[in-house]
């Protein structure tokens, strides 16, 4: 079964520190990777997408992808209390039952930024 | 851009009734929409994939006769929970992809269903 694995946390970091969120995936041919942020009681919000090996930076966020290791990460610099949320890693995979590509989500990592 | 709306945002109904949830892409055409369900403190679970003008594809374990999906246009998909029961109480979220792109998904704000 194709999977996306994340540490459930909580990951606790002090305000201003760098938060590092990690994700591994099982489908070796996946080409699209996403990070979503989900506040409690709300729907997910897309914050980063990455398609090529290496780093992609957007403001305080940096996504890192290593396809050989089947590993994707998200770094949040200068963490703020408002960053406290659950971060979902999503990988575009082909479903074994349907044969169609769809996002497979990890269970999410809960981040707590301490003021 | 890439805004998805859902209506209603919350609904409370009696057991045995049917509830319809609408998902709209407001500023783009979405040939594919997805319906998810999320129980408290659990991850998103894909229920079905909806393509405009064709039948939805349901994930294993999801009853297609209970969760009716209609994708009548490039901007509207509906999910009807038929004969709802308390165990159907959940957070239902739709998402949509830009036409021709099977990658980025943009989520609606979700609908919280409570069945009494």
């Amino acid at each position: 079964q194709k999977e996306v694995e994340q540490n459930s946390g909580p990951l606790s970091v002090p305000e201003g520190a760098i938060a590092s969120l990690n994700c591994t995936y099982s489908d070796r041919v996946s080409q699209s990777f996403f990070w979503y942020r989900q506040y409690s009681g709300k729907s997910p919000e897309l914050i980063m997408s990455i398609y090529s090996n290496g780093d992609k930076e957007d403001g305080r966020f940096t996504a890192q992808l290593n396809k050989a290791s089947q590993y994707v990460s998200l770094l949040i610099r200068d963490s703020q209390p408002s960053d406290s949320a659950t971060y979902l890693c999503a990988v575009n995979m082909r479903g074994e039952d349907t044969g169609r590509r769809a996002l497979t989500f990890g269970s999410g990592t809960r981040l707590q930024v301490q003021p | 851009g890439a805004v998805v709306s859902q209506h209603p945002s919350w609904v409370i109904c009696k057991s045995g009734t049917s509830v319809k949830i609408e998902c709209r892409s407001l500023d783009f055409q979405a040939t594919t929409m997805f319906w998810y369900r999320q129980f408290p403190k659990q991850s998103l679970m894909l229920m079905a994939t909806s393509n405009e003008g064709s039948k939805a594809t349901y994930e294993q374990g999801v009853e297609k006769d209970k969760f009716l999906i209609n994708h009548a246009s490039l901007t509207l998909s509906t999910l009807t929970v038929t004969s709802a029961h308390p165990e159907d109480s959940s957070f239902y979220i739709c998402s949509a992809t830009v036409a021709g792109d099977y990658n980025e998904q943009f989520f609606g704000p979700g609908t919280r269903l409570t069945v009494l």
Side-chain angles (χ1 to χ4, degrees):
Chain A
Q1 185 168 347
K2 297 182 178 175
E3 296 178 341
V4 177
E5 300 282 349
Q6 291 182 258
N7 188 314
S8 61
L11 172 66
S12 185
V13 300
E15 184 174 355
I18 296 175
S20 177
L21 305 162
N22 305 314
C23 171
T24 59
Y25 60 94
S26 60
D27 187 357
R28 189 170 290 277
V29 300
S30 294
Q31 297 295 321
S32 308
F33 308 86
F34 307 91
W35 284 99
Y36 287 84
R37 177 176 61 198
Q38 186 175 24
Y39 292 111
S40 180
K42 303 294 185 181
S43 68
E45 172 192 9
L46 178 65
I47 55 173
M48 288 289 286
S49 59
I50 186 166
Y51 307 97
S52 304
N53 280 327
D55 295 0
K56 178 182 178 182
E57 187 175 319
D58 184 0
R60 296 187 296 112
F61 299 102
T62 298
Q64 299 175 317
L65 175 61
N66 184 325
K67 291 183 181 179
S69 300
Q70 295 174 235
Y71 176 93
V72 58
S73 65
L74 179 71
L75 301 178
I76 306 174
R77 290 181 299 281
D78 188 23
S79 296
Q80 301 297 309
S82 59
D83 295 327
S84 299
T86 297
Y87 289 80
L88 302 171
C89 173
V91 179
N92 196 276
M93 293 184 175
R94 187 178 302 280
E96 292 178 340
D97 297 330
T98 64
R100 303 172 70 93
R101 300 202 74 87
L103 287 188
T104 297
F105 285 85
S107 58
T109 298
R110 189 157 62 94
L111 173 66
Q112 295 177 339
V113 181
Q114 306 294 337
Chain B
V3 179
V4 178
S5 71
Q6 269 184 257
H7 178 80
S9 55
W10 60 270
V11 57
I12 301 173
C13 69
K14 293 182 179 179
S15 185
T17 60
S18 294
V19 175
K20 179 185 283 188
I21 302 170
E22 291 187 350
C23 177
R24 294 181 184 272
S25 56
L26 298 184
D27 53 0
F28 66 99
Q29 292 184 331
T31 53
T32 304
M33 289 184 171
F34 304 86
W35 287 95
Y36 294 85
R37 180 167 53 181
Q38 187 174 37
F39 293 106
K41 299 190 184 301
Q42 296 187 21
S43 188
L44 292 168
M45 296 300 297
L46 179 64
M47 299 175 67
T49 301
S50 167
N51 288 290
E52 185 264 339
S54 64
K55 291 183 179 180
T57 302
Y58 290 82
E59 295 299 303
Q60 193 171 21
V62 178
E63 300 175 58
K64 62 181 180 181
D65 293 331
K66 180 170 182 64
F67 299 99
L68 302 179
I69 292 172
N70 183 278
H71 194 159
S73 75
L74 286 172
T75 60
L76 173 64
S77 176
T78 60
L79 167 69
T80 301
V81 183
T82 63
S83 186
H85 291 285
E87 57 265 31
D88 298 323
S89 299
S90 188
F91 192 40
Y92 292 86
I93 313 172
C94 73
S95 70
T97 59
V98 176
D101 188 348
Y102 217 83
N103 292 322
E104 292 182 338
Q105 289 184 25
F106 300 94
F107 284 85
T111 297
R112 191 162 301 282
L113 171 64
T114 302
V115 185
L116 302 178

